[in-house]
Each structure stands twice: as C-alpha cells, then as structure tokens.
Amino acid sequence: MNARHPANPISEKITPAARWATIACGWVVLAYAVGLTLEILGRKFFATSFKGIDELGGFVLAISAAIGASYAMAQRSHTRVDVFLVRFPAGVQRWLNTLAMVAFAGFSGFAVWRGVAVLRDTLEFGSTATNLEQPLWVPQALWVAGLALLALISLAYALHAVFLLATRRPELNAWYGPPGAQEELDAELANLQARGVDAEALPTHRPR
C-alpha cells in the first residue's frame, strides 16, 4: 500500500475470500503430495501403486492454478513488465493501468466462458476419468469455480479502475499500478509481523 493513500476498499473486501480459498486449496495440494509420496514408496518397496494418482495430480494442478491466480490477482502479485510504464507521465500511467485491469477482466471472462463450455460437454456426455472412473464434472466444477472467482475479482478491479479514471481519483496508480519496491518491502514486513516475527530486529535497509 502506498503510504500516501489508504488501502484499496475493493481489495479489503475481496482478499479474505480469496485467501481462504487459497488456504483450502493449499491443504488439498499438501494431501496430494503426501499421497504421491506414499505412491513412490509403495512402488519402491512393495511393488504396489495407487490407481489414478497421476490423473488426480492433473485435477489438483488445474484447480490450484485457477484459485492461486485468483489470490494473486487480489494481492496484485501477477507479473507485470513495468520497465517502460514507470517512465510515462502519471496521466498516461492511469490510462495504461486501467487498460491492464480491463484486459485482464476480459481474459478471465473468456476463460470462464470456455470452462463452462467444457463442463457443459462433460455433463452432456457423462464423461468419466479414465483411471479413477469418477465423473469428470466434479473436478471440472471446482476448476470452473476457481476461474469464476478470478473473473469476479478482476471484474471488480476493472470496474473500480474505470470509476477512478472517470472521476480523476489520484489513487488509481497506487491501487492498480505495479507495486513498487518500497510497497513490496512493507508488505513483506507486515507478513512477518503477522506471523509473530519481530520486524524491528531485521535489517532496515530501504530501497532508494
């Protein structure tokens, strides 16, 4: 967060839901990692294996990628190439940052549209997983839900950015531009303090 501006009110409302979804997804990934470890040990020492563990990994990867992208969007953690952006005047940056939010909302909306189409085909044909022999609509529905969360977050940000641009609010670049080095440092220190680490005991070098 830029010290000159308060926190983004949209982020404050969106981030908790995205964070809990990400934590739940993280537990699923951890459970899969344990299962995969047991699979490897079983093959090595007992000549046995879990049926469909590789297939399950594909489901976990797809779902965690969608939900992880949602949380990254809420945290403004997606990679943005800003080598030229920061050299433009603030007014030009406002337009480009708004365009970035609108473009991402369009992309995520397209992803949901195609995801729903895949899910609809699965339901129509009653497709099942090859090895697990379970209905494919179950993991696909979770995948589409992750994409929908990403679309909702990006749409909320895009509409808010357009509103800030239309009303000439100065917070637009601070809230929707790429985070600066100082902002990233402050965020890391806040995360350390939230985990009980004494941030004052850490080196206090600040980027110039």
Side-chain angles (χ1 to χ4, degrees):
M1 178 184 67
N2 192 310
R4 296 176 298 172
H5 302 289
N8 187 337
I10 306 298
S11 294
E12 290 184 328
K13 293 180 174 62
I14 286 174
T15 299
R19 180 174 181 272
W20 283 111
T22 304
I23 290 174
C25 190
W27 281 107
V28 173
V29 172
L30 178 60
Y32 174 75
V34 172
L36 183 60
T37 301
L38 295 176
E39 158 78 3
I40 295 173
L41 294 176
R43 287 186 178 184
K44 177 68 175 179
F45 298 108
F46 303 105
T48 185
S49 64
F50 299 144
K51 183 179 180 181
I53 191 71
D54 294 337
E55 197 169 49
L56 183 62
F59 299 152
V60 171
L61 176 61
I63 296 168
S64 60
I67 295 179
S70 302
Y71 186 66
M73 186 64 182
Q75 293 291 299
R76 295 167 57 209
S77 299
H78 285 292
T79 300
R80 291 180 61 179
V81 180
D82 60 353
V83 62
F84 295 112
L85 177 67
V86 296
R87 290 170 169 77
F88 289 136
V92 176
Q93 291 185 35
R94 289 165 57 83
W95 281 94
L96 293 177
N97 287 326
T98 303
L99 177 62
M101 294 299 104
V102 172
F104 200 100
F107 164 77
S108 58
F110 175 79
V112 172
W113 174 51
R114 298 310 306 159
V116 169
V118 171
L119 179 59
R120 186 183 296 117
D121 290 342
T122 296
L123 292 171
E124 180 180 353
F125 294 105
S127 304
T128 59
T130 303
N131 295 320
L132 295 174
E133 299 179 355
Q134 69 171 10
L136 271 178
W137 70 265
V138 176
Q140 287 182 357
L142 295 174
W143 169 61
V144 171
L147 293 177
L149 180 61
L150 174 62
L152 289 173
I153 293 174
S154 59
L155 178 61
Y157 279 173
L159 292 176
H160 192 218
V162 169
F163 169 77
L164 294 176
L165 179 67
T167 55
R168 301 180 181 274
R169 296 283 296 277
E171 299 92 343
L172 195 156
N173 287 336
W175 287 346
Y176 294 113
Q182 183 61 57
E183 186 176 356
E184 292 179 346
L185 176 60
D186 291 340
E188 290 298 327
L189 291 176
N191 289 334
L192 290 173
Q193 289 177 336
R195 294 199 297 266
V197 178
D198 185 6
E200 294 183 356
L202 298 174
T204 57
H205 297 293
R206 302 273 178 171
R208 295 180 181 179

